[in-house]
Amino acid sequence: MKIVCDNKIPFLKGVFEPYAEVLYLPGAKTTPEDVRDADALIVRTRTACAEPLLKGSRVKVIATATIGFDHIDTAWCEANGIVWENAPGCNSWSVKQYIASVLVKLARKHSLKLSEMTLGVVGVGNVGSKVADAARVLGMKVLLNDPPRARKEGPEGFVSLDELLSLSDIVTVHVPLQRGGEDNTLHLFDAERLASMRPDQILINSSRGEVVDNKAIKNVLKKGGLRGAVLDVWEGEPELDPELVDLLDFATPHIAGYSADGKANGTTAAVRTVARQLGLPLEQWSASGIPEPAQALSFSIDASGKTTEDVLAEAILYTYDVDRDCLPLREHLELFEKLRGDYQVRREFSAFTVTLISGSPQMASRIKELGFKINETAN
């Protein structure tokens, strides 16, 4: 039995070795020869799992340790008897943390008060739902757009994309990449839609690069058609347009979902998928030994003289400041893949315990709503 794995997937080495030959390779450089005699593939988004790679192989199952699966030709795989599975929701808390940090930093940069603003969330699945929750905790009004959910669950609670764009101050996008069909998201934000947005609005995309037309948003930003924009995902990545990067508030190398916790969840899901399909005794396996970040997992916030928004911002930025990923990318665009592959340890809110000093019960409650633990014994 042979299993081919992306060599940047953490927590994986040693797991399958008692049961199979395991080959670790750079995801983008995996070849048909590498997988010809493989029974399973464990991949990230960098491996294009389609006919050119898979034809003539004995691959039975593909597990991607990611939420997204547009790198898998699902129709071809299903037609050729290859089971595939993604890891839905594995890094949703990580993206929530990323967007929370972005919102706080945008508010500071543009002198905005989040509690007086409306966030439009486009795509309300595992990720978008958690982002909406974070925005509400920050005091924002939230509008939701998700046509598939609206058709399935009824329109209550959802708005059209046009209505969302007309009423939102900041728009954040969390849709899968769907090429064509009723729910097409390829260039969902094209030149026409971007031009329809107001010059006081901000657009954030951490879903898939092709959802936002990069040439069009560059032109809109150059003309002052938006207050600002944030991109974590890019058309043509890892090759980026330097001019576009310079125009953005924050530019990051596709790492919104890259918390150590999210990676552990993705690896766990992938291992269980392969174990189930190949009959290996690993269906209950879970990734362990998540490393600690550079900062301590327990910290204090003195709330004296601070608003609830100030306290929440301090907690969020203690765990993750988006500038730590933005600044290295701006300085070295050519290191896009290295910045992803050698990503520093980031832990999610749930890993941290906050001691709140001179804070109100409401503040403590809001911190807990974000996902933090509170030191209940503190005075």
Side-chain angles (χ1 to χ4, degrees):
M1 190 176 295
K2 179 179 175 181
I3 302 172
V4 174
C5 305
D6 186 307
N7 65 357
K8 292 298 185 181
I9 296 176
F11 311 106
L12 194 54
K13 289 187 178 177
V15 175
F16 285 107
E17 277 77 353
Y19 313 101
E21 174 192 354
V22 185
L23 181 61
Y24 298 95
L25 297 168
K29 296 181 180 179
T30 303
T31 68
E33 290 70 30
D34 296 324
V35 308
R36 194 174 309 281
D37 59 347
D39 299 280
L41 306 182
I42 299 182
V43 302
R44 299 181 303 147
T45 57
R46 288 300 184 252
T47 305
C49 298
E51 183 177 2
L53 178 69
L54 300 167
K55 186 175 182 180
S57 75
R58 72 179 193 205
V59 172
K60 304 179 185 69
V61 56
I62 299 169
T64 182
T66 60
I67 290 178
F69 54 88
D70 48 278
H71 53 295
I72 301 175
D73 186 337
T74 57
W76 190 90
C77 288
E78 290 165 8
N80 286 272
I82 299 175
V83 174
W84 66 272
E85 286 193 27
N86 63 326
C90 67
N91 61 4
S92 54
W93 285 93
S94 177
V95 180
K96 172 182 175 176
Q97 179 189 43
Y98 175 90
I99 297 296
S101 179
V102 165
L103 291 173
V104 168
K105 297 285 285 191
L106 286 171
R108 292 183 175 184
K109 179 176 180 179
H110 294 286
S111 300
L112 307 173
K113 190 172 178 59
L114 292 177
S115 59
E116 298 175 354
M117 307 195 76
T118 297
L119 181 73
V121 181
V122 182
V124 197
N126 283 307
V127 174
S129 297
K130 289 184 176 65
V131 167
D133 289 341
R136 293 187 188 101
V137 174
L138 288 168
M140 301 183 76
K141 180 180 178 181
V142 177
L143 298 175
L144 306 177
N145 168 257
D146 194 310
R149 281 192 60 186
R151 289 195 300 270
K152 182 178 179 180
E153 303 167 23
E156 186 176 352
F158 300 101
V159 299
S160 70
L161 183 54
D162 287 341
E163 184 177 358
L164 181 145
L165 292 178
S166 71
L167 298 175
S168 299
D169 300 295
I170 302 175
V171 177
T172 183
V173 187
H174 303 284
V175 297
L177 179 60
Q178 177 71 42
R179 300 177 185 274
E182 184 178 11
D183 297 310
N184 173 69
T185 61
L186 176 64
H187 284 184
L188 180 66
F189 285 81
D190 58 10
E192 181 179 358
R193 181 157 280 136
L194 288 165
S196 74
M197 296 181 70
R198 303 190 311 271
D200 64 339
Q201 289 180 302
I202 298 172
L203 179 64
I204 306 168
N205 184 23
S206 60
S207 59
R208 286 291 177 263
E210 296 88 345
V211 172
V212 174
D213 184 328
N214 281 199
K215 290 182 179 179
I217 196 169
K218 181 174 75 171
N219 291 334
V220 167
L221 289 169
K222 287 173 69 175
K223 296 174 183 176
L226 287 171
R227 186 197 295 267
V230 178
L231 295 182
D232 178 59
V233 290
W234 312 78
E235 287 194 284
E237 63 181 61
E239 302 299 325
L240 306 188
D241 179 343
E243 188 177 11
L244 173 57
V245 171
D246 287 343
L247 291 165
L248 298 170
D249 289 291
F250 300 102
T252 51
H254 199 156
I255 46 71
Y258 259 39
S259 70
D261 310 76
K263 290 181 180 181
N265 293 337
T267 301
T268 296
V271 167
R272 292 182 178 185
T273 292
V274 170
R276 185 168 57 252
Q277 295 300 323
L278 299 186
L280 301 176
L282 294 167
E283 289 189 56
Q284 300 303 315
W285 180 87
S286 294
S288 60
I290 300 176
E292 293 193 3
Q295 69 273 55
L297 292 176
S298 295
F299 65 100
S300 300
I301 296 177
D302 186 346
S304 301
K306 297 174 183 175
T307 67
T308 299
E309 188 170 316
D310 291 336
V311 169
L312 293 172
E314 189 171 335
I316 290 165
L317 295 180
Y318 176 87
T319 71
Y320 175 65
D321 185 329
V322 67
D323 267 328
R324 85 177 205 182
D325 291 319
C326 181
L327 297 178
L329 182 66
R330 287 194 191 278
E331 292 174 3
H332 297 284
L333 295 185
E334 75 280 4
L335 297 183
F336 186 97
E337 289 289 61
K338 180 174 175 55
L339 292 170
R340 298 183 81 229
D342 299 333
Y343 194 62
Q344 56 193 314
V345 175
R346 168 155 64 101
R347 297 300 305 272
E348 297 170 2
F349 295 149
S350 60
F352 292 89
T353 299
V354 180
T355 297
L356 187 62
I357 301 169
S358 302
S360 67
Q362 181 203 33
M363 287 179 179
S365 176
R366 297 271 285 277
I367 292 170
K368 289 173 72 173
E369 285 180 57
L370 274 180
F372 291 91
K373 303 181 186 73
I374 287 284
N375 180 4
E376 303 286 0
T377 63
N379 293 326

